[in-house]
Amino acid sequence: MSLENRVAIITGAGQGLGEAIALRLAEEGCKTVIADIDFEKAKKVAQKIENIYGKESLPFKVDVTKNEEVKLMVKRAVEKFSGIDILISNAGILKSYEITQFPEKDWRKIIEVNLTGYFLTAKEVAKIMKKQKRGVIIQINSKSGKKGSLWNSAYAASKFGGIGFTQSIALDLAPYNIRVNAVCPGNLLDSPLWVNSLYEQYAKKWGISKEEVRKRYESRVPLRRGCQYEDVTNLVVFLASDQSSYMTGQAINVTGGEEMR
Ligand SMILES: NC(=O)c1ccc[n+]([C@@H]2O[C@H](COP(=O)([O-])OP(=O)(O)OC[C@H]3O[C@@H](n4cnc5c(N)ncnc54)[C@H](O)[C@@H]3O)[C@@H](O)[C@H]2O)c1
């Protein structure tokens, strides 16, 4: 167990990739804060962690776009666990429109959650980590943080911004032994985001079936499959551990080679 008794906050951990990261960090020995805007989901994940791994897990209701709520989350985490070793900034949303149809309120919301939410959580956690003189911040970014994609201008803009932010705060925080990196997954084709929303949106957009949408996305990947949670959690554990102690300011692809296409 490379991360025994480290304290990790994971935002957006109520479902999907955030939940998978929280479970994996608990498996590796972490105490976890399950932070999500949906408290019922956060509670279920925290309970699941305690049942499976017997590791302490604190569910917390937070909207990452609200500064006061983020401050309270950090305060509560420190009260309960006496420090914060790892922040996983994972909460993110996606809405897809062609640019001339993009509602301003959706644009603002995507930038608020994906970029400002990352800023607010990293800022508050960094205050604690600076005092500790150690810590690890990992942003869950996307392959869309490095390459634009059709009908995804707001999401790509928020994720490109996330990489600039990651690099910049990596410089701010390096003197305090705090490392900051981003992970850029490919398409998690079995995640709720795809199953509950994207297959349908893209099927409509292209006039094809949902199965054809999936095949289209798989065929773009040199390794010929969608990204799995484990592909991402393996890298998160490495970046959170001391094995990556000479890495900071990086944005690492986990895409099956898709970005080369
Ligand atoms: N699913 C994919 O294919 C994919 C690919 C690459 C990157 N990502 C990134 O992975 C991350 C997680 O994506 P996912 O697919 O698991 O999404 P998801 O929609 O399944 O889960 C996101 C979670 O974040 C929570 N959340 C939303 N807004 C919030 C807010 N304001 N404050 C706190 N919590 C909030 C939701 O309640 C939900 O539990 C995102 O940053 C996303 O951009 C996803």
Side-chain angles (χ1 to χ4, degrees):
M1 289 204 193
S2 59
L3 301 174
E4 190 62 37
N5 286 331
R6 305 233 177 138
V7 177
I9 296 181
I10 306 102
T11 67
Q15 68 167 36
L17 180 58
E19 176 182 3
I21 292 170
L23 283 157
R24 180 64 190 277
L25 289 178
E27 188 181 358
E28 298 290 335
C30 288
K31 299 170 189 170
T32 49
V33 178
I34 308 301
D36 204 287
I37 199 166
D38 187 328
F39 190 50
E40 290 310 308
K41 284 186 177 164
K43 278 198 290 193
K44 276 191 194 141
V45 173
Q47 194 59 60
K48 196 165 159 183
I49 284 175
E50 295 205 344
N51 292 347
I52 300 177
Y53 301 111
K55 296 299 294 185
E56 277 180 286
S57 186
L58 174 72
F60 198 86
K61 179 177 167 52
V62 68
D63 178 345
V64 295
T65 69
K66 305 259 165 59
N67 201 3
E68 288 315 308
E69 293 186 21
V70 172
K71 280 184 176 168
L72 205 60
M73 170 184 77
V74 170
K75 185 169 176 277
R76 189 74 190 90
V78 173
E79 279 166 7
K80 174 135 177 100
F81 294 127
S82 312
I84 303 166
D85 300 296
I86 301 161
L87 167 67
I88 312 291
S89 176
N90 166 81
I93 57 171
L94 185 155
K95 282 188 182 175
S96 166
Y97 298 95
E98 190 269 341
I99 180 59
T100 61
Q101 308 298 317
F102 219 115
E104 182 187 342
K105 74 168 181 12
D106 288 324
W107 166 277
R108 289 188 185 279
K109 184 76 188 165
I110 291 165
I111 301 290
E112 273 281 291
V113 177
N114 297 3
L115 187 55
T116 310
Y118 176 27
F119 158 69
L120 292 174
T121 40
K123 179 180 171 183
E124 292 311 316
V125 169
K127 290 178 187 171
I128 304 298
M129 290 180 171
K130 273 178 78 170
K131 285 189 206 147
Q132 298 171 168
K133 295 215 164 26
R134 70 186 157 76
V136 172
I137 296 174
I138 299 169
Q139 187 215 11
I140 303 304
N141 199 287
S142 167
K143 67 179 170 48
S144 302
K146 296 188 176 179
K147 192 176 176 188
S149 64
L150 190 70
W151 287 28
N152 268 330
S153 54
Y155 185 73
S158 73
K159 295 292 187 180
F160 269 66
I163 293 181
F165 181 73
T166 296
Q167 288 182 0
S168 303
I169 66 168
L171 291 170
D172 290 2
L173 299 173
Y176 302 92
N177 190 28
I178 301 165
R179 299 184 296 106
V180 190
N181 291 291
V183 172
C184 301
N187 297 307
L188 292 151
L189 294 177
D190 298 313
S191 67
L193 181 71
W194 278 85
V195 174
N196 302 336
S197 147
L198 292 184
Y199 285 123
E200 196 169 335
Q201 283 188 49
Y202 295 149
K204 265 193 208 143
K205 178 162 91 178
W206 292 317
I208 59 178
S209 71
K210 291 187 197 176
E211 292 69 32
E212 285 167 323
V213 172
R214 184 178 181 117
K215 284 204 186 101
R216 188 177 283 196
Y217 276 92
E218 283 171 345
S219 72
R220 290 177 182 175
V221 181
L223 291 178
R224 283 288 185 273
R225 64 171 175 85
C227 190
Q228 298 292 320
Y229 290 147
E230 202 182 4
D231 299 319
V232 182
T233 60
N234 286 338
L235 177 59
V236 166
V237 169
F238 171 68
L239 288 174
S241 78
D242 299 340
Q243 290 186 13
S244 59
S245 61
Y246 199 49
M247 292 176 68
T248 197
Q250 304 306 303
I252 303 167
N253 302 323
V254 191
T255 60
E258 190 177 349
E259 77 287 347
M260 294 184 287
R261 283 273 158 92

